[in-house]
């Protein structure tokens, strides 16, 4: 088997928070806690979980937009966490991000041409002003916009069009990997499918590799090659999209899946409603972190022993004591 494009090993990110109003003691939010996975070139890994589970922080640590606390990130055999200066700038060409909120992620005072062209300038990818403009027009057309949009401002566009501008900005430097950080969560359902179809189309044309972050399993179902489900900073299940959707092993994945609508009205799926809120990542539950909400927990086993992420069948990994 060829080497993966991206290898993430035991990635951790802790954020310090103050203990209390008058306390000098620091407490730590374990936002990402031992995340490990490989990603082959051309694959799409869906990264799914409730808000606060660490999926966006994982994506940002991989790109070094946030510094990881520990762990390893290897991209094309290079240790990303040890790069700096020109090596890190070069890496930023290969690894890009599309943000969730197309309203907040585009500078309202810059024209669309300047927003997309910024990366061309930073990485010196256009030799003349004419080439610069031609490349921007080509990028606009690639994402379904046109040359007339070049001198307009973000507020003149709809949410879906703004997300297309964000995609064109990411594509400007011809990246290999794009972290799509909830790219359709802020969009109307009718527009979501258009943006996902565009991302799939671009993947085919340019051989892109994606990490596609979402809080909802239905969003990543069709675009993902594999899916990883996160809970309180950890991956609790990772498998091919087909295996995960047809035969989930982890009770948390089952609960998320039970909320996904089925297009066939004759098929009924029983909704699994989890009790309580997601616990605080400052003091996560002992043992299996999901035990406070798990409908099939067995005590004291689940509250005292941490289940390792184990291979349950070929390519299908899950962290649960009870599921084989
Ligand atoms: Fe539920 Fe126990 Fe499995 Fe955790 S280890 S998911 S609490 S059954």
């Amino acid at each position: 088997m060829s080497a993966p494009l991206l290898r993430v090993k035991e990635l951790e990110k802790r954020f310090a928070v103050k203990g209390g109003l008058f306390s000098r003691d620091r407490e730590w939010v374990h936002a990402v806690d031992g995340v490990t996975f490989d990603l082959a070139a051309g694959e799409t890994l869906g990264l799914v979980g409730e808000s606060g589970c660490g999926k966006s922080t994982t994506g940002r640590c991989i790109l070094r937009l946030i510094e990881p606390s520990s762990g390893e990130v290897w991209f094309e055999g290079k240790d990303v966490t040890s790069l700096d200066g020109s090596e890190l700038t070069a890496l930023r060409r290969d690894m890009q991000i599309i943000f969730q909120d197309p309203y907040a992620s585009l500078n309202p005072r810059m024209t669309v041409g300047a927003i997309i062209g910024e990366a061309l300038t930073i990485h010196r990818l256009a030799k003349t002003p004419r080439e610069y403009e031609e490349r921007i027009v080509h990028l606009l057309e690639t994402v379904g916009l046109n040359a007339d949009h070049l001198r307009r401002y973000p507020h003149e566009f709809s949410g879906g069009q703004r997300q297309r501008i964000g995609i064109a900005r990411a594509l400007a430097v011809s990246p290999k990997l794009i972290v799509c950080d909830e790219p359709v969560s802020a969009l109307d359902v009718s527009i979501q499918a258009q943006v996902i179809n565009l991302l799939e189309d671009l993947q085919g044309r340019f051989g892109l590799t994606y990490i596609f972050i979402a809080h909802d399993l239905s969003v990543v179902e069709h675009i993902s090659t594999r899916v990883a489900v996160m809970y309180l900073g950890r991956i609790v299940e990772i498998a091919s999209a087909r295996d995960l959707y047809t035969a989930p092993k982890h009770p948390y994945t089952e609960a998320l899946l039970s909320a996904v609508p089925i297009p066939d009205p004759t098929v009924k799926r029983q909704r699994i409603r989890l009790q309580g809120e997601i616990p605080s990542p400052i003091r996560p539950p002992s043992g299996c972190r999901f035990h406070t909400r798990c409908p099939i927990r067995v005590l004291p086993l689940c509250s005292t022993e941490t289940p390792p992420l184990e291979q349950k069948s070929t390519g299908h990994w899950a962290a649960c004591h009870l599921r084989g």
Side-chain angles (χ1 to χ4, degrees):
M1 219 174 109
S2 59
L5 181 74
L6 179 74
R7 171 160 282 173
V8 178
K9 217 168 152 192
E10 292 296 327
L11 187 69
E12 287 195 20
K13 179 63 191 177
R14 297 180 294 277
F15 295 103
V17 286
K18 280 266 166 67
L21 196 55
F22 302 106
S23 169
R24 289 192 186 167
D25 295 338
R26 281 187 155 190
E27 290 190 301
W28 296 92
V29 174
H30 294 266
V32 178
D33 197 0
V35 164
T36 296
F37 64 85
D38 285 353
L39 191 56
E43 255 195 316
T44 297
L45 178 74
L47 199 53
V48 177
E50 288 163 288
S51 51
C53 72
K55 54 195 189 300
S56 289
T57 307
T58 299
R60 280 155 208 249
C61 284
I62 289 168
L63 301 183
R64 295 258 321 261
L65 296 176
I66 297 174
E67 288 300 326
S69 305
S70 63
E72 298 172 25
V73 179
W74 295 85
F75 181 80
E76 292 191 314
K78 279 195 206 121
D79 179 4
V80 171
T81 56
S82 70
L83 300 181
D84 53 20
S86 59
E87 284 184 318
L88 188 57
T89 306
L91 180 88
R92 294 251 151 86
R93 263 191 75 177
D94 288 334
M95 299 163 81
Q96 287 285 305
I97 185 165
I98 300 166
F99 293 99
Q100 173 182 0
D101 188 348
Y103 298 89
S105 64
L106 304 176
N107 186 334
R109 283 186 282 275
M110 287 169 77
T111 63
V112 167
I115 289 168
I116 298 171
E118 200 175 23
L120 296 177
T121 307
I122 291 169
H123 295 283
R124 299 196 182 98
L125 296 177
K127 292 188 186 69
T128 63
R130 185 170 170 185
E131 187 189 347
Y132 173 83
E133 188 157 323
E134 279 173 359
R135 287 188 74 148
I136 295 169
V137 169
H138 179 65
L139 285 160
L140 284 170
E141 288 169 352
T142 302
V143 298
L145 299 171
N146 62 59
D148 294 344
H149 294 135
L150 189 72
R151 288 175 230 294
R152 298 215 202 146
Y153 288 86
H155 73 266
E156 298 176 63
F157 294 86
S158 67
Q161 286 175 318
R162 286 185 218 202
Q163 199 52 290
R164 286 172 192 266
I165 296 166
I167 294 169
R169 176 174 58 183
L171 285 180
V173 291
S174 307
K176 294 173 182 159
L177 171 73
I178 301 182
V179 173
C180 307
D181 188 4
E182 304 220 32
V184 297
S185 302
L187 304 177
D188 289 347
V189 175
S190 58
I191 308 295
Q192 288 185 356
Q194 291 175 16
V195 172
I196 290 175
N197 288 344
L198 172 65
L199 288 168
E200 278 183 310
D201 175 46
L202 296 172
Q203 183 170 41
R205 284 173 69 184
F206 302 117
L208 297 166
T209 304
Y210 293 142
I211 295 176
F212 196 105
I213 297 169
H215 56 260
D216 180 341
L217 271 171
S218 65
V219 170
V220 300
E221 182 167 4
H222 296 294
I223 198 169
S224 300
T225 328
R226 283 185 303 143
V227 177
V229 176
M230 285 187 74
Y231 188 77
L232 278 179
R234 292 185 179 160
I235 290 178
V236 296
E237 182 161 9
I238 182 166
S240 71
R242 191 160 169 265
D243 284 356
L244 191 120
Y245 284 86
T246 55
K249 304 269 188 204
H250 198 281
Y252 180 57
T253 310
E254 286 173 345
L256 292 181
L257 263 181
S258 76
V260 173
I262 300 173
D264 182 349
T266 61
V267 179
K268 292 263 179 288
R269 182 187 271 158
Q270 192 169 2
R271 180 85 191 259
I272 302 168
R273 293 189 192 280
L274 295 176
Q275 301 298 313
E277 295 295 313
I278 191 164
S280 164
I282 298 175
R283 267 169 250 101
S286 58
C288 173
R289 291 185 174 185
F290 186 55
H291 85 261
T292 54
R293 301 169 81 198
C294 180
I296 61 160
R297 70 185 168 190
V298 170
L299 300 178
L301 173 69
C302 295
S303 62
T304 53
E305 306 265 336
T306 303
L309 186 64
E310 289 176 327
Q311 186 159 211
K312 306 287 187 183
S313 57
T314 309
H316 195 149
W317 299 68
C320 177
H321 293 305
L322 305 191
R323 293 290 171 77

